[in-house]
Amino acid sequence: MRLTNWTDYSLRVLMYCAACAQREQPATIGEIAEAHGISRSHLTKIVMTLSGMGLLETTRGRGGGLRLLKPAQDIVLGDVVRQTETDFTLVECFDADHNSCRLDGHCRLKGALQQAMASYLQVLDGVTLADLVAPAAMPAGARASQRMRLVPGLPRLLSAQGESR
């Protein structure tokens, strides 16, 4: 299965906001658009949809921005994908109204693909937004003093002293 850009960008917005959860200033559409090279107007539509889904709080004006309405550990990836994807019809025979496949009812492809889709969504149901932005484990042998690298598309992490790393 391939996710639409809409779902991909929705997940990026949510991840960015989760990574910014501890910041004093909320994330902004402009900041996310620049970090990911995505159109501001397109992201605005996505943000409004995520807000309508009860995932984001949006505040307009100076000092405004985007914040998660729920803790990141309570946002399940499978739920987000189900709400943002518009078409789970992997093959024609999944759609009873438009199915003209002459093999329907005589082959096992439909059942195998339905099982694969269920497994795909089951895996996503076990992943939360917090899991996606959790710091990666340090490789064996790495020193604790090594600096964490900037992850493109996510905000810079702040050190305990409030400095950008």
Coordinates of all heavy atoms in Angstrom, one line a residue, residues 21-79:
A21 N 6.7 19.8 21.4 CA 5.7 19.9 22.5 C 6.3 20.6 23.8 O 5.5 21.3 24.5 CB 5.2 18.5 22.9
Q22 N 7.6 20.5 24.0 CA 8.2 21.1 25.2 C 8.6 22.5 25.0 O 9.1 23.2 25.9 CB 9.3 20.2 25.7 CG 8.9 18.8 26.0 CD 7.8 18.7 27.0 OE1 7.8 19.4 28.0 NE2 6.8 17.9 26.7
R23 N 8.6 23.0 23.7 CA 9.0 24.4 23.4 C 8.0 25.4 24.0 O 6.8 25.1 24.1 CB 9.1 24.6 21.9 CG 10.3 24.0 21.3 CD 10.5 24.4 19.9 NE 9.4 25.1 19.2 CZ 9.5 25.3 17.9 NH1 10.5 24.9 17.1 NH2 8.4 25.9 17.3
E24 N 8.5 26.5 24.3 CA 7.6 27.6 24.8 C 6.7 28.1 23.6 O 5.5 28.3 23.8 CB 8.4 28.7 25.4 CG 7.6 29.8 26.0 CD 8.5 30.9 26.7 OE1 9.5 30.5 27.4 OE2 8.2 32.0 26.5
Q25 N 7.4 28.3 22.5 CA 6.6 28.8 21.3 C 6.1 27.5 20.5 O 6.9 26.6 20.3 CB 7.5 29.6 20.4 CG 7.8 31.0 20.9 CD 6.6 31.8 20.9 OE1 5.9 32.0 22.0 NE2 6.2 32.3 19.8
P26 N 4.9 27.6 20.1 CA 4.4 26.4 19.3 C 4.9 26.4 17.9 O 5.4 27.4 17.4 CB 2.8 26.7 19.3 CG 2.7 28.1 19.5 CD 3.8 28.6 20.4
A27 N 4.9 25.3 17.3 CA 5.3 25.2 15.9 C 4.4 26.0 15.0 O 3.2 26.2 15.4 CB 5.3 23.7 15.4
T28 N 4.8 26.4 13.9 CA 4.0 27.2 12.9 C 3.9 26.5 11.6 O 4.8 25.7 11.3 CB 4.5 28.6 12.7 OG1 5.8 28.5 12.1 CG2 4.7 29.4 14.0
I29 N 2.9 26.8 10.8 CA 2.8 26.2 9.5 C 4.0 26.6 8.6 O 4.5 25.8 7.9 CB 1.5 26.7 8.8 CG1 0.3 26.0 9.6 CG2 1.4 26.3 7.4 CD1 -1.1 26.5 9.1
G30 N 4.4 27.9 8.7 CA 5.5 28.3 7.9 C 6.8 27.6 8.3 O 7.6 27.2 7.4
E31 N 7.0 27.3 9.5 CA 8.2 26.6 10.0 C 8.2 25.2 9.5 O 9.2 24.7 9.0 CB 8.2 26.6 11.6 CG 9.2 25.9 12.3 CD 9.0 26.0 13.8 OE1 8.2 26.8 14.3 OE2 9.7 25.2 14.5
I32 N 7.1 24.5 9.6 CA 7.0 23.1 9.1 C 7.1 23.1 7.6 O 7.8 22.2 7.0 CB 5.6 22.5 9.5 CG1 5.6 22.4 11.1 CG2 5.5 21.1 8.9 CD1 4.2 22.1 11.6
A33 N 6.4 24.1 6.9 CA 6.5 24.1 5.4 C 8.0 24.3 5.0 O 8.4 23.6 4.0 CB 5.7 25.3 4.9
E34 N 8.7 25.1 5.6 CA 10.1 25.3 5.3 C 11.0 24.1 5.6 O 11.8 23.7 4.8 CB 10.7 26.5 6.0 CG 12.1 26.9 5.6 CD 12.6 28.1 6.3 OE1 11.8 29.0 6.6 OE2 13.8 28.1 6.6
A35 N 10.7 23.5 6.7 CA 11.5 22.3 7.1 C 11.3 21.1 6.1 O 12.2 20.3 5.9 CB 11.1 21.9 8.5
H36 N 10.1 21.0 5.5 CA 9.8 19.9 4.7 C 9.7 20.3 3.2 O 9.5 19.4 2.4 CB 8.5 19.2 5.1 CG 8.7 18.5 6.4 ND1 9.3 17.3 6.5 CD2 8.3 18.8 7.7 CE1 9.3 16.9 7.8 NE2 8.7 17.8 8.5
G37 N 9.8 21.5 2.9 CA 9.7 21.9 1.5 C 8.3 21.7 0.9 O 8.2 21.2 -0.2
I38 N 7.3 22.0 1.7 CA 5.9 21.8 1.3 C 5.2 23.1 1.3 O 5.5 24.0 2.1 CB 5.2 20.9 2.4 CG1 5.9 19.5 2.5 CG2 3.7 20.7 2.0 CD1 5.4 18.7 3.7
S39 N 4.3 23.3 0.3 CA 3.5 24.5 0.2 C 2.8 24.9 1.5 O 2.1 24.0 2.1 CB 2.5 24.3 -1.0 OG 1.4 25.1 -0.8
R40 N 2.9 26.1 1.9 CA 2.1 26.6 3.0 C 0.6 26.5 2.9 O 0.0 26.1 3.8 CB 2.5 28.1 3.3 CG 3.8 28.3 3.9 CD 4.1 29.9 4.0 NE 3.0 30.5 4.8 CZ 3.2 30.9 6.0 NH1 4.4 30.9 6.6 NH2 2.2 31.5 6.7
S41 N 0.1 26.8 1.7 CA -1.3 26.7 1.5 C -1.8 25.2 1.6 O -2.9 25.0 2.2 CB -1.7 27.3 0.2 OG -1.2 26.6 -0.9
H42 N -1.0 24.3 1.1 CA -1.4 22.9 1.2 C -1.4 22.5 2.7 O -2.3 21.8 3.2 CB -0.5 22.0 0.4 CG -0.9 20.6 0.2 ND1 -2.1 20.3 -0.4 CD2 -0.3 19.5 0.5 CE1 -2.2 19.0 -0.4 NE2 -1.1 18.4 0.1
L43 N -0.3 22.9 3.4 CA -0.2 22.5 4.8 C -1.3 23.1 5.6 O -1.8 22.5 6.6 CB 1.1 22.9 5.4 CG 2.3 22.0 5.2 CD1 3.5 22.5 6.0 CD2 1.9 20.6 5.7
T44 N -1.8 24.3 5.3 CA -2.9 25.0 6.0 C -4.1 24.1 5.9 O -4.8 23.9 6.9 CB -3.1 26.4 5.4 OG1 -2.0 27.2 5.6 CG2 -4.3 27.0 6.1
K45 N -4.4 23.6 4.7 CA -5.6 22.7 4.6 C -5.4 21.4 5.5 O -6.4 21.0 6.1 CB -5.8 22.3 3.1 CG -6.1 23.4 2.2 CD -6.1 23.0 0.8 CE -6.2 24.2 -0.2 NZ -6.0 23.8 -1.6
I46 N -4.2 20.9 5.5 CA -4.0 19.7 6.3 C -4.1 20.0 7.7 O -4.8 19.2 8.5 CB -2.6 19.1 5.9 CG1 -2.6 18.5 4.5 CG2 -2.1 18.1 7.0 CD1 -1.2 18.1 4.0
V47 N -3.6 21.1 8.2 CA -3.7 21.5 9.6 C -5.2 21.7 10.0 O -5.6 21.3 11.1 CB -2.9 22.8 9.8 CG1 -3.2 23.4 11.2 CG2 -1.4 22.4 9.8
M48 N -5.9 22.3 9.1 CA -7.4 22.5 9.4 C -8.1 21.1 9.6 O -8.9 21.0 10.5 CB -8.0 23.4 8.4 CG -7.5 24.8 8.3 SD -7.2 25.6 9.9 CE -8.9 25.7 10.6
T49 N -7.7 20.2 8.7 CA -8.3 18.8 8.8 C -7.9 18.2 10.1 O -8.7 17.6 10.8 CB -7.9 18.0 7.6 OG1 -8.4 18.6 6.4 CG2 -8.4 16.6 7.7
L50 N -6.6 18.2 10.5 CA -6.1 17.6 11.7 C -6.8 18.3 12.9 O -7.1 17.6 13.9 CB -4.6 17.7 11.8 CG -3.8 16.9 10.8 CD1 -2.3 17.2 10.8 CD2 -4.1 15.4 11.0
S51 N -7.0 19.6 12.8 CA -7.7 20.3 13.9 C -9.1 19.8 14.0 O -9.6 19.6 15.2 CB -7.7 21.8 13.6 OG -8.4 22.5 14.6
G52 N -9.8 19.6 12.9 CA -11.2 19.1 12.9 C -11.3 17.7 13.5 O -12.3 17.3 14.0
M53 N -10.2 16.9 13.3 CA -10.1 15.6 13.8 C -9.9 15.5 15.3 O -9.8 14.5 15.9 CB -9.0 14.8 13.1 CG -9.4 14.5 11.6 SD -8.0 13.9 10.6 CE -7.2 12.6 11.6
G54 N -9.6 16.7 15.9 CA -9.3 16.8 17.3 C -7.9 16.4 17.7 O -7.6 16.1 18.9
L55 N -7.0 16.5 16.7 CA -5.6 16.2 17.0 C -4.7 17.5 17.3 O -3.7 17.4 18.0 CB -5.0 15.4 15.8 CG -5.6 14.1 15.6 CD1 -5.1 13.4 14.3 CD2 -5.4 13.2 16.8
L56 N -5.1 18.6 16.6 CA -4.3 19.8 16.8 C -5.1 21.0 17.3 O -6.3 21.1 17.0 CB -3.7 20.2 15.4 CG -2.5 19.5 14.8 CD1 -2.2 20.1 13.5 CD2 -1.4 19.5 15.8
E57 N -4.5 21.8 18.1 CA -5.0 23.1 18.5 C -4.3 24.1 17.7 O -3.1 24.1 17.6 CB -4.8 23.3 20.0 CG -5.2 24.6 20.5 CD -4.8 24.9 21.9 OE1 -3.7 24.4 22.3 OE2 -5.5 25.5 22.7
T58 N -5.1 25.0 17.1 CA -4.5 26.1 16.3 C -4.8 27.4 17.0 O -5.9 27.6 17.4 CB -5.0 26.1 14.8 OG1 -6.4 26.3 14.8 CG2 -4.7 24.8 14.2
T59 N -3.8 28.3 17.0 CA -4.0 29.6 17.6 C -3.5 30.6 16.6 O -2.3 30.5 16.1 CB -3.2 29.8 18.9 OG1 -3.5 28.7 19.8 CG2 -3.5 31.1 19.6
R60 N -4.3 31.6 16.2 CA -3.9 32.5 15.2 C -3.2 33.7 15.9 O -3.2 33.9 17.1 CB -5.2 33.1 14.5 CG -5.9 32.0 13.7 CD -7.1 32.6 13.1 NE -6.8 33.4 12.0 CZ -7.1 33.2 10.8 NH1 -7.8 32.1 10.5 NH2 -6.8 34.0 9.8
G61 N -2.5 34.5 15.0 CA -1.9 35.7 15.5 C -0.5 35.5 16.1 O 0.1 34.5 16.1
R62 N 0.0 36.7 16.5 CA 1.4 36.7 17.1 C 1.4 35.7 18.3 O 0.6 35.8 19.2 CB 1.7 38.1 17.6 CG 3.1 38.3 18.0 CD 3.3 39.8 18.4 NE 4.7 39.9 18.8 CZ 5.6 40.6 18.0 NH1 5.3 41.1 16.9 NH2 6.8 40.7 18.5
G63 N 2.4 34.9 18.3 CA 2.6 33.9 19.4 C 1.8 32.7 19.2 O 1.8 31.8 20.0
G64 N 1.0 32.7 18.1 CA 0.1 31.5 17.8 C 0.9 30.4 17.1 O 2.1 30.5 16.8
G65 N 0.2 29.4 16.8 CA 0.8 28.2 16.2 C 0.0 27.0 16.4 O -1.2 27.0 16.6
L66 N 0.7 25.9 16.4 CA 0.1 24.5 16.4 C 0.6 23.8 17.6 O 1.8 23.7 17.9 CB 0.4 23.7 15.1 CG 0.3 24.5 13.8 CD1 0.9 23.6 12.7 CD2 -1.1 24.8 13.5
R67 N -0.3 23.1 18.3 CA 0.0 22.3 19.4 C -0.9 21.0 19.4 O -2.0 21.1 18.9 CB -0.2 22.9 20.8 CG 0.8 24.1 21.0 CD 1.0 24.2 22.6 NE 1.7 25.4 22.9 CZ 3.1 25.4 22.9 NH1 3.8 24.4 22.7 NH2 3.7 26.6 23.2
L68 N -0.3 19.9 19.8 CA -1.1 18.7 19.9 C -2.2 18.9 20.9 O -1.9 19.4 22.0 CB -0.2 17.5 20.3 CG 0.8 17.1 19.3 CD1 1.7 15.9 19.8 CD2 0.2 16.7 17.9
L69 N -3.4 18.4 20.6 CA -4.5 18.4 21.6 C -4.4 17.2 22.6 O -5.0 17.3 23.7 CB -5.8 18.4 20.9 CG -6.4 19.8 20.6 CD1 -7.7 19.7 19.8 CD2 -6.6 20.7 21.8
K70 N -3.8 16.2 22.2 CA -3.6 15.0 23.0 C -2.1 14.7 23.2 O -1.3 15.1 22.3 CB -4.2 13.8 22.3 CG -5.6 13.8 21.9 CD -5.9 12.4 21.2 CE -7.3 12.4 20.7 NZ -7.5 11.1 20.0
P71 N -1.8 14.0 24.2 CA -0.4 13.7 24.4 C 0.0 12.7 23.2 O -0.8 11.9 22.7 CB -0.3 12.9 25.7 CG -1.6 13.3 26.4 CD -2.6 13.6 25.4
A72 N 1.3 12.9 22.7 CA 1.7 12.1 21.6 C 1.6 10.6 21.8 O 1.3 9.8 20.9 CB 3.2 12.4 21.3
Q73 N 1.7 10.1 23.1 CA 1.5 8.7 23.3 C 0.1 8.2 23.2 O -0.2 7.0 23.1 CB 2.1 8.3 24.7 CG 1.4 8.9 25.9 CD 2.0 10.2 26.3 OE1 2.8 10.8 25.6 NE2 1.7 10.6 27.5
D74 N -0.9 9.1 23.0 CA -2.3 8.8 22.9 C -2.8 8.9 21.4 O -3.9 8.6 21.1 CB -3.2 9.7 23.7 CG -3.0 9.4 25.2 OD1 -2.4 8.4 25.6 OD2 -3.4 10.3 26.0
I75 N -1.9 9.3 20.5 CA -2.2 9.4 19.1 C -1.6 8.2 18.4 O -0.4 8.0 18.3 CB -1.7 10.7 18.5 CG1 -2.3 11.9 19.2 CG2 -1.9 10.7 17.0 CD1 -1.7 13.2 18.8
V76 N -2.6 7.3 17.9 CA -2.2 6.0 17.3 C -2.1 6.2 15.8 O -3.0 6.7 15.2 CB -3.2 4.9 17.7 CG1 -2.9 3.6 17.0 CG2 -3.3 4.8 19.2
L77 N -1.0 5.8 15.3 CA -0.7 5.9 13.8 C -1.8 5.3 13.0 O -2.3 5.9 12.0 CB 0.6 5.3 13.5 CG 1.4 5.9 12.4 CD1 1.7 7.3 12.6 CD2 2.6 5.1 12.1
G78 N -2.3 4.1 13.3 CA -3.4 3.4 12.6 C -4.6 4.3 12.5 O -5.3 4.3 11.4
D79 N -5.0 4.9 13.6 CA -6.2 5.8 13.6 C -6.0 7.0 12.6 O -6.9 7.3 11.9 CB -6.5 6.3 15.0 CG -6.9 5.2 16.0 OD1 -7.3 4.2 15.5 OD2 -6.7 5.5 17.2

